[in-house]
Amino acid sequence: MTPGDSGITKDSDNRREPHRDSGRREVPASSLLRQHGSGATVMQFWLELGWLIAAVVLAFGLYRRDRRLPFGEYVLRESAALAIGLPIAYVASLVLPGGEVFQRAFVPTVLIALGGLIVVRQMMVSPLARMLLPYRVLVLGTGPEAQAVETSLALTTPPGVELAGFYPLEKVPTRSVAARHVVSNHLSLEETVKHLDIDEIIVAVREQRGGVLPLRALLECRLAGVQVTDLPRFFERVHGRVPIDSLKVSWLIYGRGFRQNWLRGVMKRAFDLVVAVVLLLIVLPLLALIACLISFDGGAPIIYRQERVGCRGQRFTLLKFRSMTKDAEKDGQAAWADINDSRVTAIGRFMRRTRIDELPQLINVLRGEMSFVGPRPERPTFVSMLTEQIPFYGVRHSVKPGITGWAQVRYTYGANVEESIKKLEYDLYYVKNHSLLLDILILFKTVRVVMLGEGAR
């Protein structure tokens, strides 16, 4: 008997036989761990994954002591954070050891992460923060601006933030707030802040020249770790808008934000192209159907072309599905759309409510004339009028206009000067703070607006 025919060799061949079929069978998780790394390696991967998701969550401002978000806003930001973090984590799992387990459990991980963060926040973090870490605010001033701050805090601030009172200023005797909420100024501002355990001072004074503010005292409070916030920054943080009536040129020049570097431009352009191409592929059958319905309802033209003002004041031709009658502006005069406007056709009313009439602007995005997210472009006639009547209106033209925007998801349709001022305040917030993360958050909010038909005319 030759060595090749020995029983030992045959047994070895028989033992190898199952390994040739192993690729056809489901490999248990324990085998995966043995094949692709030890338990310590897999544990290291999950720790790295946890740090990655935590970093993205923090980047969306979900856990900041001075910014406790309402529940709906929290869910939106969490969803946007996971939409960014989990795909990155999946790509990381392709190259990091131990990532195979994550790939197999990707869907359960998404659901557990989304539900787990909500449950932990509602049942543990928020109650503990309200009980152990109350955030106390002192308003400097007692005039109309202070009253506006009080109203804003009452309407928009979630539990856990406490208004300690209003500190009066000797050179601003006007009082618009309730006397019972005014703090005695017998103690200095620094002593009052220490005595009341204040975390933030909101300077609710519009005119700050002439020694109105106790600057030395405010500096001492700031050096002691107390946050000092002026009116524009307070309204920006609480309402997501920049108030025009309290805005100064110096704030635009020296304030943070307004980032316009090449990297942001490249990222935004790539984001626009990806979203526009994907959406066009998805809605192509819908576009054909809408074109047929418009044709049956009133004939050509199906696409309505209108001159608009874009980035840096450059004009371009905006594309829309025609939602009004052909003679909507037969006198040649530009006019804002009214509620229940009689010029809107039957199919046009449906398109405006669902924003379907804006879909042809995906072509404007591909051309580079528009971005997917940005201030809505206005007609030259309206731009000329609003620039004369509203300060800082031209600032909104420092970025590309968008199909959707911060003003569209936070405010209504602007059909007069007063409403245009409010829209501009939201546009200024976007111009100042725009980023890829904010764009994704606006997309999430846009889905809600479209589903509910908010702000359409």
Side-chain angles (χ1 to χ4, degrees), residues 16-49:
R16 290 193 196 101
E17 202 63 35
H19 290 282
R20 285 197 289 266
D21 296 333
S22 60
R24 305 190 193 109
R25 295 196 304 269
E26 185 70 23
V27 181
S30 59
S31 298
L32 268 176
L33 295 180
R34 288 194 298 270
Q35 292 176 24
H36 299 287
S38 64
T41 302
V42 176
M43 180 63 70
Q44 180 183 0
F45 168 78
W46 283 98
L47 286 174
E48 292 171 351
L49 172 65

Side-chain angles (χ1 to χ4, degrees), residues 224-403:
V226 178
Q227 181 174 338
V228 180
T229 307
D230 59 9
L231 276 177
R233 287 181 178 84
F234 169 76
F235 282 107
E236 178 185 351
R237 186 184 72 201
V238 173
H239 296 288
R241 61 183 176 88
V242 178
I244 297 297
D245 55 1
S246 62
L247 194 59
K248 300 177 181 178
V249 176
S250 59
W251 186 82
L252 293 171
I253 296 174
Y254 298 114
R256 295 180 180 178
F258 303 104
R259 297 179 298 274
Q260 303 287 347
N261 55 52
W262 67 270
L263 179 59
R264 168 59 181 154
V266 170
M267 292 179 60
K268 189 170 180 64
R269 183 59 181 156
F271 176 80
D272 290 339
L273 290 175
V274 170
V275 174
V277 170
V278 171
L279 270 181
L280 273 175
L281 294 176
I282 293 175
V283 303
L284 201 56
L286 177 62
L287 297 179
L289 175 62
I290 293 297
C292 292
L293 293 176
I294 295 173
S295 180
F296 293 150
D297 189 39
I302 294 173
I303 299 295
Y304 182 64
R305 292 169 171 82
Q306 195 175 72
E307 189 178 40
R308 297 289 177 101
V309 178
C311 185
R312 308 298 177 187
Q314 296 181 352
R315 300 187 181 188
F316 69 98
T317 301
L318 179 136
L319 305 177
K320 295 180 68 173
F321 277 130
R322 182 174 61 81
S323 60
M324 290 189 174
T325 57
K326 297 178 183 179
D327 58 348
E329 293 181 350
K330 55 185 177 183
D331 55 358
Q333 297 295 319
W336 275 307
D338 295 324
I339 298 176
N340 298 322
D341 199 311
S342 60
R343 299 173 298 168
V344 179
T345 63
I347 182 63
R349 200 167 303 281
F350 169 76
M351 288 192 298
R352 282 173 169 261
R353 187 169 60 251
T354 57
R355 303 303 203 279
I356 291 177
D357 61 322
E358 312 286 358
L359 288 178
Q361 289 161 40
L362 293 171
I363 303 299
N364 292 115
V365 174
L366 294 178
R367 290 176 180 172
E369 299 162 336
M370 293 178 64
S371 180
F372 200 86
V373 178
R376 284 295 296 163
E378 291 288 357
R379 302 172 69 173
T381 302
F382 296 145
V383 170
S384 299
M385 178 187 69
L386 295 172
T387 301
E388 293 177 358
Q389 300 186 34
I390 305 176
F392 309 109
Y393 189 81
V395 176
R396 71 194 302 274
H397 296 134
S398 61
V399 298
K400 285 184 181 180
I403 298 177

Side-chain angles (χ1 to χ4, degrees), residues 3-20:
D5 296 329
S6 66
I8 297 176
T9 305
K10 288 180 181 179
D11 291 342
S12 300
D13 290 340
N14 290 337
R15 284 196 298 271
R16 290 193 196 101
E17 202 63 35
H19 290 282
R20 285 197 289 266

